[in-house]
Amino acid sequence: MTLRFSAVAPALALAAAPVWAQGVIKIGEINSYKAQPAFLEPYKKGMELAVEQVNAAGGVGGKKLQLIVRDDNATPGDAVRAAEELYAREKIDVLTGSFLSHVGLALTDYAKQKKRFFLASEPLTDKIVWADGNHYTYRLRGSTYMQTAMLVEEALKLKKKRWAIVYPNYEYGQSAIATFKTLMKAKQPDIEFVAEQAPALGKIDAGSVVQALADSKPDAIFNVLFATDLGKFVREGNTRGLFKGREVVGLLTAEPEYLDPLKKEAPLGWTVTGYPWYSIKTPEHAAFLKAYQAKYKDYPRLGTIVGYNAIQSIAAGLRKTGGDADTEKLIAAFKGLEVSTPFGPITYRAQDNQSTMGAYVGKTAYDEKLKRGVLVSYRYADGKNYQPSDEEVKKLRPATAN
């Protein structure tokens, strides 16, 4: 599949495929590809598969989707500059993307200032749809609040009093920890937070972090680390016996892009969110998995699902507008938009522009056949069940955002 189209022989192209006579809809996508390849390489493949499927089915409004990507170097300034370049040079119609929460917030503000539609595909911070939410920005993936609430439901069952916390010290980690503390205290008033470690993203000194947590003698640990930080933390924790006799609850831990590299060192018995692609039996996921493996001869990661859902969401919104990418028409189309995904149907909530995409919650284990860590005893937690009330959302989101 070719994602960018040449101007060579336009007459031949039009004659051969008159359905595309009205041109293309250009989707500009910005992300931290060089900084977070484990998640974003599969994510890009998910987008490519979705573009291919939409175009094979006739496109949208007689127009073909065209994907144009840019790297943001994991910095807000570069992300905004990339957005400007995409609009000025590439003449894109729709903007999507972002992985890191602080970068996503910069693009959220850019959308507001420039009055342009933006679908934040992956950044998890609650601010994107609440405190910094705006009329122009929607978010696909379940927020830190949503996913943390799913884990709090399980953490409360453990009935542990003394908790230690570890998280990457930037917007995503700070947001997740704030939610965990608030929700746990509300349901378990006697809870104690006996240690808190917040290493800089990608720069964890795992030895000192593990030792500090061990010295606090917690009953349980809430972990929000991911990527290489997670791997270092797990290996050092295994070596020093940090996890023996302790419950661990972890956000994102069983996503294949982070769990697979640990192989036999995968943590055992942690309560986590993840993506058990190898055992989901629904028709929607089976069809997606078959198509993905046929195209790439590989298995999907969680990033794949997010990238795929982002393009399918944009296509669904454009179908409601008849292929018109006008900002206000697309914003109106996304209000209450329903989208079919490999995880089942999701809806973009009118009250805060947040989708109801959920997550799988279960326990980590090691699979001898797959030779890697897996998610077992899991359930799918539908995002629509893990949100504050509409009245609370109104207080959290600026009145001008809608």
Side-chain angles (χ1 to χ4, degrees):
M1 177 189 62
T2 302
L3 296 179
R4 299 192 61 169
F5 297 88
S6 171
V8 176
L12 176 61
L14 292 174
V19 70
W20 308 129
Q22 297 179 52
V24 298
I25 297 172
K26 294 183 177 182
I27 301 173
E29 200 279 340
I30 300 171
N31 238 308
S32 306
Y33 290 99
K34 288 181 286 188
Q36 299 292 337
F39 189 96
L40 291 171
E41 288 176 6
Y43 166 94
K44 187 178 180 183
K45 290 178 179 177
M47 289 195 297
E48 291 170 350
L49 176 62
V51 167
E52 182 179 87
Q53 290 181 345
V54 170
N55 288 343
V60 181
K63 299 177 183 179
K64 203 167 190 174
L65 299 186
Q66 178 182 355
L67 181 64
I68 305 170
V69 304
R70 293 290 184 270
D71 197 293
D72 58 30
N73 296 310
T75 63
D78 283 358
V80 171
R81 282 187 285 273
E84 282 290 276
E85 185 267 337
L86 283 169
Y87 278 104
R89 182 178 300 179
E90 301 290 350
K91 309 299 181 184
I92 64 168
D93 299 292
V94 184
L95 182 65
T96 187
S98 186
F99 177 88
L100 296 170
S101 287
H102 62 302
V103 177
L105 285 170
L107 288 174
T108 295
D109 184 64
Y110 170 83
K112 178 182 178 181
Q113 299 302 324
K114 298 294 184 176
K115 296 180 170 55
R116 290 167 171 164
F117 177 89
F118 172 50
L119 176 61
S121 55
E122 163 64 20
L124 301 181
T125 177
D126 300 307
K127 288 182 179 179
I128 282 179
V129 294
W130 292 345
D132 292 1
N134 62 62
H135 176 66
Y136 302 93
T137 301
Y138 282 78
R139 198 247 304 281
L140 165 64
R141 193 168 177 200
S143 66
T144 54
Y145 182 97
M146 294 162 69
Q147 295 194 58
T148 302
M150 297 169 192
L151 289 173
V152 164
E153 194 171 60
E154 302 302 318
L156 289 168
K157 297 175 184 176
L158 302 176
K159 300 185 185 301
K160 300 298 182 182
K161 183 177 180 179
R162 294 169 54 83
W163 284 81
I165 292 173
V166 56
Y167 61 97
N169 194 17
Y170 79 112
E171 175 57 36
Y172 148 74
Q174 295 161 4
S175 179
I177 292 306
T179 297
F180 183 76
K181 287 180 176 180
T182 299
L183 294 181
M184 289 294 287
K185 285 180 179 178
K187 296 290 186 179
Q188 187 181 319
D190 68 339
I191 192 171
E192 295 178 14
F193 296 105
V194 296
E196 188 168 314
Q197 288 291 302
L201 179 64
K203 298 179 180 179
I204 188 173
D205 179 348
S208 62
V209 167
V210 166
Q211 191 59 55
L213 295 180
D215 288 345
S216 70
K217 295 180 171 53
D219 301 323
I221 299 169
F222 183 57
N223 163 64
V224 191
L225 300 172
F226 65 97
T228 56
D229 288 340
L230 174 66
K232 292 175 182 177
F233 174 68
V234 170
R235 292 187 181 101
E236 193 66 27
N238 285 339
T239 298
R240 301 192 183 209
L242 174 65
F243 312 125
K244 289 182 179 179
R246 290 193 175 99
E247 298 286 354
V248 182
V249 176
L251 192 60
L252 317 183
T253 300
E255 293 177 10
E257 38 269 79
Y258 309 137
L259 190 60
D260 290 357
L262 287 166
K263 298 180 180 179
K264 286 189 175 182
E265 294 178 292
L268 303 178
W270 289 20
T271 301
V272 298
T273 58
Y275 172 36
W277 64 268
Y278 32 79
S279 57
I280 299 172
K281 303 300 183 184
T282 64
E284 301 94 335
H285 188 267
F288 162 79
L289 181 62
K290 181 179 180 181
Y292 187 82
Q293 291 185 314
K295 181 174 177 60
Y296 293 109
K297 306 298 186 290
D298 193 11
Y299 60 91
R301 278 70 165 178
L302 195 282
T304 313
I305 294 291
V306 176
Y308 184 86
N309 288 355
I311 297 299
Q312 293 291 359
S313 294
I314 291 170
L318 288 167
R319 289 189 193 102
K320 286 183 67 175
T321 69
D324 190 339
D326 173 79
T327 293
E328 291 300 328
K329 289 181 181 178
L330 200 52
I331 288 169
F334 262 72
K335 293 287 185 187
L337 179 68
E338 295 183 2
V339 184
S340 297
T341 81
F343 284 5
I346 64 172
T347 301
Y348 283 86
R349 293 158 43 102
Q351 56 267 56
D352 59 4
N353 296 3
Q354 170 66 52
S355 102
T356 59
M357 180 178 167
Y360 285 87
V361 180
K363 295 278 191 177
T364 54
Y366 181 77
D367 189 295
E368 287 290 348
K369 184 177 180 180
L370 294 175
K371 302 298 182 185
R372 62 172 68 99
V374 293
L375 187 68
V376 299
S377 303
Y378 59 79
R379 63 183 175 88
Y380 180 66
D382 193 325
K384 69 182 181 183
N385 299 323
Y386 297 91
Q387 285 276 27
S389 68
D390 288 353
E391 285 303 312
E392 290 176 288
V393 168
K394 285 181 182 178
K395 296 175 183 177
L396 293 166
R397 187 171 167 85
T400 57
N402 294 320

